[in-house]
Amino acid sequence: MRIHCKVVAIAVCFGVFLLLYFFGGNAADEPPLKEVAKEKHSQSFSHIEDIAPANEAKQTNEEPQKPPKLIRKEPKLSSGGGGNVIAKTRQKSEVGRPGSKVTQAEDIMHLAVVACGNRLDETLNMVKSALLFSIKMIKFHIFAEEDLAEQFEKGFSQWPQTVSSRFHYSIYPITFSVGNADEWKKLFKPCAAQRLFLPVILKDVDSLLYVDTDVLFLRPMDDIWKFLKAFNSTQLAAMAPEHEIPKIGWYSRFARHPFYGVTGVNSGVMLMNLTRIRSTPFRNSMIASGLSWENLLHPLYQKYKNHITWGDQDLLNIIFHYNPECLYIFPCQWNYRPDHCMYGSNCKAAEEEGVSILHGNRGVYHDDKQPAFRVVYDAIREYPFEENLFQSLFYPLQTKFLDTVNTLCGRIPQVFLKQIEKTMRAVYEKKVVHRVRLPHE
């Protein structure tokens, strides 16, 4: 009996000991378990935060489904008339073609144009011609009067996505950094002097092609852009001669001021290395030490304003007369004007290779004086984007040229048609022929 009592007492004590151990042990272990859980929870969020930037970086290198459309308001610029006009930029971060990468700065070509008065339609047609054939992305810098800005945006918004995804554009007010704005604005044609201030305004742009509104591209802009690589160490701009024959050239016969070379140069198509222009001291007839581009413009105008006829083009001729080593001359086919055919064909490069850039000055796109020029302008204006280039552009152009063969410029149709046909064939081969793939065996 005593033995049984002892066994029961021992069992009860042991049971009480186990209960105390169980509850006491769990209570002692609980805080460490909570700290571990908290630590794991913290680590999991830390891991997510580490991954997020990597995922964002990865996403920025991948092409989104559709290129973003953004109207971004840039800082206000002072307009020539003293008011404030907001420069608007429409930006797309990617080219918008399947498999394309984010556009790199070196893959963008910059083109500037100045539009005032009734130049809206001409400018839109120029932009259209540049986009029809060019390969790289183009950034258009459009300097326009305030009432034209919204019309440009409306015109661009009506173009197909496949076209609008291939360019950016910025619209700037007409502005002059030195001198009297009203005086500059009325020099030669309305707003034409704006081109002189491009190196001053576009400080973040390294190189630029300037064209007049009455210019049409008959081959990729990429081809004239390549001339930048042909510049030597002193050259900072490129233009074509004003004329090919000195005896009938305007500058060689009538100019009352210094001009470049024998026949002068035409500034309707002007390729510029803006970085070099901004950093170069230019020799002149006023100060022996040389002047920067911005500091040269106003005193130069003041000295020659009573002797110049063609405004800003004359000032450019004076500048490069004193700095000839700074200018690269490209052939006349890159700035083909009525002067090259109305006195007889005198642009040999165009006869051999065809016109690369057509410059319809003298208003020939809008009258019947040189119908060959108007035929090209109308054909590009009437061409519907995304239609077959040969059926909807080249063949109608070829047919309409038959009506111009008895005119001064129309009697050499191959000059106008040779390069554009070559360009269209290259575009066709790139879009159609090169996409053909042999079936897998």
Side-chain angles (χ1 to χ4, degrees), residues 423-436:
T423 299
M424 288 183 185
R425 290 191 182 280
V427 172
Y428 175 80
E429 290 175 359
K430 182 179 180 181
K431 288 185 176 180
V432 181
V433 178
H434 290 176
R435 292 183 182 179
V436 175

Side-chain angles (χ1 to χ4, degrees), residues 314-372:
D314 290 347
L315 294 179
L316 289 169
N317 267 279
I318 296 169
I319 291 173
F320 289 111
H321 168 83
Y322 290 105
N323 302 270
E325 75 284 356
C326 294
L327 193 62
Y328 179 96
I329 299 296
F330 48 63
C332 51
Q333 72 188 80
W334 295 97
N335 188 352
Y336 191 88
R337 287 159 280 120
D339 291 33
H340 290 119
C341 52
M342 61 189 294
Y343 305 117
S345 181
N346 56 61
C347 179
K348 298 299 180 183
E351 292 177 8
E352 295 172 0
E353 300 182 31
V355 175
S356 297
I357 294 181
L358 194 68
H359 185 181
N361 63 349
R362 301 176 181 265
V364 292
Y365 293 149
H366 312 293
D367 59 32
D368 296 323
K369 293 180 181 178
Q370 298 299 336

Side-chain angles (χ1 to χ4, degrees), residues 186-202:
K186 296 175 182 176
L187 183 64
F188 184 45
K189 292 183 179 179
C191 309
Q194 181 71 75
R195 87 184 80 181
L196 296 174
F197 295 86
L198 296 179
V200 180
I201 298 171
L202 302 177

Side-chain angles (χ1 to χ4, degrees), residues 48-58:
I48 291 172
E49 290 172 358
D50 291 340
I51 292 175
N55 286 341
E56 290 174 2
K58 183 178 180 182

Side-chain angles (χ1 to χ4, degrees), residues 43-117:
Q43 288 177 351
S44 65
F45 276 99
S46 175
H47 181 60
I48 291 172
E49 290 172 358
D50 291 340
I51 292 175
N55 286 341
E56 290 174 2
K58 183 178 180 182
Q59 289 173 359
T60 56
N61 290 329
E62 294 176 357
E63 183 181 14
Q65 291 295 325
K66 293 183 180 179
K69 298 179 180 179
L70 174 64
I71 299 291
R72 179 172 62 85
K73 292 184 178 180
E74 294 184 342
K76 292 184 178 181
L77 299 174
S78 176
S79 67
N84 285 332
V85 183
I86 294 177
K88 294 184 178 180
T89 304
R90 178 176 181 267
Q91 291 192 336
K92 295 185 177 65
S93 63
E94 300 189 7
V95 178
R97 291 188 286 268
S100 65
K101 300 293 183 182
V102 176
T103 304
Q104 301 297 321
E106 61 269 20
D107 292 331
I108 297 179
M109 302 179 293
H110 294 264
L111 189 151
V113 64
V114 180
C116 287

Side-chain angles (χ1 to χ4, degrees), residues 15 62 81 98 122 191 195 218 267 437:
E62 294 176 357
E122 264 190 6
C191 309
R195 87 184 80 181
L218 304 187
S267 60
R437 295 290 184 270

Side-chain angles (χ1 to χ4, degrees), residues 18-247:
L18 287 176
L19 289 173
L20 292 174
Y21 177 81
F22 177 77
F23 288 110
N26 277 351
D29 292 342
E30 191 169 1
L33 288 175
K34 287 183 177 180
E35 290 177 3
V36 171
K38 183 177 180 180
E39 183 180 353
K40 289 182 178 179
H41 184 69
S42 175
Q43 288 177 351
S44 65
F45 276 99
S46 175
H47 181 60
I48 291 172
E49 290 172 358
D50 291 340
I51 292 175
N55 286 341
E56 290 174 2
K58 183 178 180 182
Q59 289 173 359
T60 56
N61 290 329
E62 294 176 357
E63 183 181 14
Q65 291 295 325
K66 293 183 180 179
K69 298 179 180 179
L70 174 64
I71 299 291
R72 179 172 62 85
K73 292 184 178 180
E74 294 184 342
K76 292 184 178 181
L77 299 174
S78 176
S79 67
N84 285 332
V85 183
I86 294 177
K88 294 184 178 180
T89 304
R90 178 176 181 267
Q91 291 192 336
K92 295 185 177 65
S93 63
E94 300 189 7
V95 178
R97 291 188 286 268
S100 65
K101 300 293 183 182
V102 176
T103 304
Q104 301 297 321
E106 61 269 20
D107 292 331
I108 297 179
M109 302 179 293
H110 294 264
L111 189 151
V113 64
V114 180
C116 287
N118 60 352
R119 299 286 180 162
L120 174 70
D121 292 338
E122 264 190 6
T123 308
L124 288 173
N125 212 33
M126 179 277 293
V127 172
K128 183 178 182 180
S129 71
L131 293 172
L132 282 178
F133 309 122
S134 294
I135 300 167
K136 291 182 180 179
M137 176 78 76
I138 303 177
K139 171 67 180 288
F140 294 98
H141 302 269
I142 301 171
F143 292 80
E145 294 172 313
E146 185 176 2
D147 59 338
L148 291 180
E150 291 186 3
Q151 297 182 56
F152 274 113
E153 291 188 2
K154 180 179 178 181
F156 292 143
S157 68
Q158 295 174 351
W159 290 356
Q161 173 66 25
T162 54
V163 176
S164 60
S165 65
R166 295 174 51 226
F167 72 98
H168 312 312
Y169 71 87
S170 294
I171 300 176
Y172 309 85
I174 302 299
T175 179
F176 307 98
S177 59
V178 295
N180 187 303
D182 290 333
E183 223 176 355
W184 282 118
K185 194 170 183 179
K186 296 175 182 176
L187 183 64
F188 184 45
K189 292 183 179 179
C191 309
Q194 181 71 75
R195 87 184 80 181
L196 296 174
F197 295 86
L198 296 179
V200 180
I201 298 171
L202 302 177
K203 295 184 181 294
D204 295 330
V205 178
D206 176 69
S207 297
L208 178 83
L209 176 66
Y210 167 86
V211 297
D212 286 346
T213 60
D214 51 8
V215 157
L216 293 172
F217 291 85
L218 304 187
R219 67 188 292 177
M221 177 184 161
D222 307 65
D223 294 338
I224 191 171
W225 194 255
K226 293 175 183 176
F227 280 116
L228 288 167
K229 295 184 178 180
F231 285 9
N232 64 25
S233 59
T234 63
Q235 290 166 339
L236 45 76
M239 288 183 275
E242 171 64 23
H243 215 288
E244 300 300 303
I245 304 175
K247 291 182 180 180

